[in-house]
């Protein structure tokens, strides 16, 4: 992957690269297996750039972990360019490998997708979803883009179907901590980290509500824990609610993300319409 810049003021190459938000880790990797070309000539970070210089930053080829096995299965791509891959993850799939599910993860699926296209980078997960949560996942195609995306403000909107009848917009501002008797479960606790969730009821059906949800913080299991605290656990959430006769996973998806592309500066809004929760609501 190559980045090209036209220099508009005199400075050292190192300072220029830091201004472009290249991390120390990325610069170290470039030094080992990449290249910095100024007007076609290889230079070090100590080189003094002059106005009018053309700088090319050649990122090193990244090697995937030997524990990753490319998973060749159709990928639901919502947006893709040279730098980013944004996909819709189904439920019952890990975003990344785990001890219980070492393969067929989304990151291995993205790796196969990129290799098939002949791309030199490897997938880096920017936004992660629980195994049984469906919806949008943002993937950077290089370590540098992952670093840039971590500097971005990403608005995330979810949809869920919960038990109970909610009729008005609400804000849940309750801290979340790890449960004392579990490494998985989270609970609302005064000793926890601040957590804030905004929700908008969209439609009621019998004793259920379809909601749009916005996270203002990103705590583990935040929506599930907050809706349990509200007395409206998500349908199918056996960890924080009850089993459901039709759905064996929580009805929760990341439905929309908004952010400014760190390289093109384009304002992006990516939506995932499927499955349509208005239709799922009527099946309960």
């Amino acid at each position: 992957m190559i980045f090209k810049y036209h220099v508009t003021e005199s400075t050292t190459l190192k300072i220029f690269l830091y201004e472009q938000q290249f991390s120390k880790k990325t610069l170290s990797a470039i030094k080992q297996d990449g290249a910095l070309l100024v007007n076609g000539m290889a230079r070090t970070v100590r080189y003094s750039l002059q106005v009018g210089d053309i700088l090319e930053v050649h990122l090193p080829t990244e090697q995937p972990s030997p524990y990753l096995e490319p998973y060749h299965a159709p990928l639901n791509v919502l947006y893709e360019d040279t730098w980013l891959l944004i996909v819709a993850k189904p439920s019952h799939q890990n975003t990344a490998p785990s001890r219980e599910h070492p393969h067929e993860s989304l990151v291995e699926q993205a790796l196969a997708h990129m290799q098939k296209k002949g791309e030199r980078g490897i997938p880096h997960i920017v936004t992660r979803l629980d195994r049984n949560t469906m919806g949008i996942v943002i993937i950077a195609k290089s370590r540098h883009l992952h670093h840039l995306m971590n500097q971005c403000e990403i608005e995330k909107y979810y949809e869920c179907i919960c038990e109970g009848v909610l009729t008005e917009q609400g804000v849940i501002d309750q801290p979340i901590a790890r449960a004392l008797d579990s490494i998985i479960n989270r609970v609302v606790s005064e000793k926890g980290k601040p957590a804030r969730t905004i929700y908008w009821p969209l439609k009621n059906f019998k004793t259920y509500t379809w909601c749009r949800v916005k996270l203002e913080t990103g705590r583990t299991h935040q929506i599930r824990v907050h809706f349990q605290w509200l007395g409206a656990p998500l349908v199918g959430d056996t960890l924080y609610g009850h089993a459901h006769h039709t759905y064996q996973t929580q009805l929760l998806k990341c439905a929309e993300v908004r952010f400014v592309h760190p390289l093109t500066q384009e304002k992006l809004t990516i939506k995932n319409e499927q499955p349509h929760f208005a239709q799922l609501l009527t099946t309960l």
Side-chain angles (χ1 to χ4, degrees):
M1 192 172 289
I2 301 173
F3 295 84
K4 192 172 184 178
Y5 302 94
H6 291 75
V7 178
T8 57
E9 60 181 43
S10 299
T11 184
T12 66
L13 183 49
K14 186 175 184 178
I15 291 175
F16 182 87
L17 292 172
Y18 281 151
E19 289 174 346
Q20 306 308 314
Q21 298 188 3
F22 283 88
S23 67
K24 290 183 179 180
K25 190 172 183 179
T26 298
L27 292 186
S28 178
I30 292 172
K31 183 178 180 181
Q32 296 298 321
D33 188 32
L36 299 171
L37 304 182
V38 180
N39 304 323
M41 299 290 291
R43 301 296 185 184
T44 70
V45 293
R46 295 186 296 274
Y47 183 78
S48 295
L49 295 171
Q50 303 300 320
V51 176
D53 283 345
I54 305 298
L55 169 64
E56 288 187 4
V57 180
H58 293 242
L59 295 183
T61 300
E62 298 181 47
Q63 298 298 327
S65 164
Y67 299 104
L68 292 181
E69 294 182 0
Y71 176 37
H72 297 275
L75 195 61
N76 187 355
V77 178
L78 303 175
Y79 173 91
E80 184 173 15
D81 62 15
T82 305
W83 307 283
L84 294 174
L85 174 63
I86 303 179
V87 302
K89 185 187 82 69
S91 59
H92 304 295
Q93 183 184 31
N94 275 31
T95 302
S98 68
R99 182 183 303 174
E100 295 78 14
H101 303 93
H103 298 297
E104 299 189 358
S105 64
L106 184 67
V107 73
E108 291 178 317
Q109 196 174 359
L111 178 62
H113 173 84
M114 291 173 62
Q115 288 180 344
K116 185 178 179 180
K117 296 182 66 177
E119 296 184 324
R120 299 175 63 200
I122 62 173
H124 297 260
I125 300 298
V126 177
T127 59
R128 185 183 298 263
L129 294 178
D130 297 336
R131 175 177 174 81
N132 291 330
T133 299
M134 61 193 87
I136 300 171
V137 175
I138 302 174
I139 299 169
K141 293 184 178 182
S142 71
R143 181 188 295 114
H144 178 52
L145 258 295
H146 184 259
H147 172 72
L148 293 182
M149 286 299 297
N150 283 338
Q151 316 306 312
C152 288
E153 181 178 341
I154 303 174
E155 286 187 69
K156 291 181 280 189
Y157 294 87
Y158 292 76
E159 291 182 11
C160 69
I161 298 178
C162 66
E163 299 178 13
V165 179
L166 305 179
T167 57
E168 297 182 358
Q169 176 186 345
V171 177
I172 307 171
D173 197 346
Q174 296 292 331
I176 292 176
R178 178 177 288 175
L180 296 177
D181 59 349
S182 174
I183 62 172
I184 299 175
N185 290 47
R186 266 57 178 180
V187 294
V188 167
S189 169
E190 293 180 355
K191 298 180 180 179
K193 295 180 179 179
R196 183 178 170 88
T197 303
I198 304 173
Y199 65 90
W200 297 266
L202 299 177
K203 189 176 182 180
N204 300 115
F205 179 74
K206 296 184 179 179
T207 58
Y208 301 98
T209 305
W210 168 32
C211 292
R212 180 174 171 88
V213 183
K214 182 183 180 183
L215 293 181
E216 295 201 338
T217 52
R219 307 303 173 205
T220 300
H221 298 174
Q222 179 172 321
I223 294 173
R224 300 163 68 188
V225 173
H226 271 172
F227 272 74
Q228 178 197 45
W229 177 87
L230 195 63
L234 304 191
V235 172
D237 189 349
T238 56
L239 189 61
Y240 296 104
H242 317 285
H244 190 272
H245 57 84
T246 302
Y247 297 102
Q248 281 70 55
T249 181
Q250 64 262 15
L251 293 186
L252 172 65
K253 75 171 180 178
C254 182
E256 182 178 332
V257 294
R258 301 175 184 175
F259 64 95
V260 176
H261 195 297
L263 293 179
T264 67
Q265 302 306 309
E266 179 184 1
K267 293 181 179 179
L268 294 177
T269 297
I270 310 298
K271 297 182 179 181
N272 175 37
E273 304 288 351
Q274 299 298 324
H276 203 298
F277 273 31
Q279 297 173 351
L280 294 187
L281 185 67
T282 62
T283 66
L284 300 175

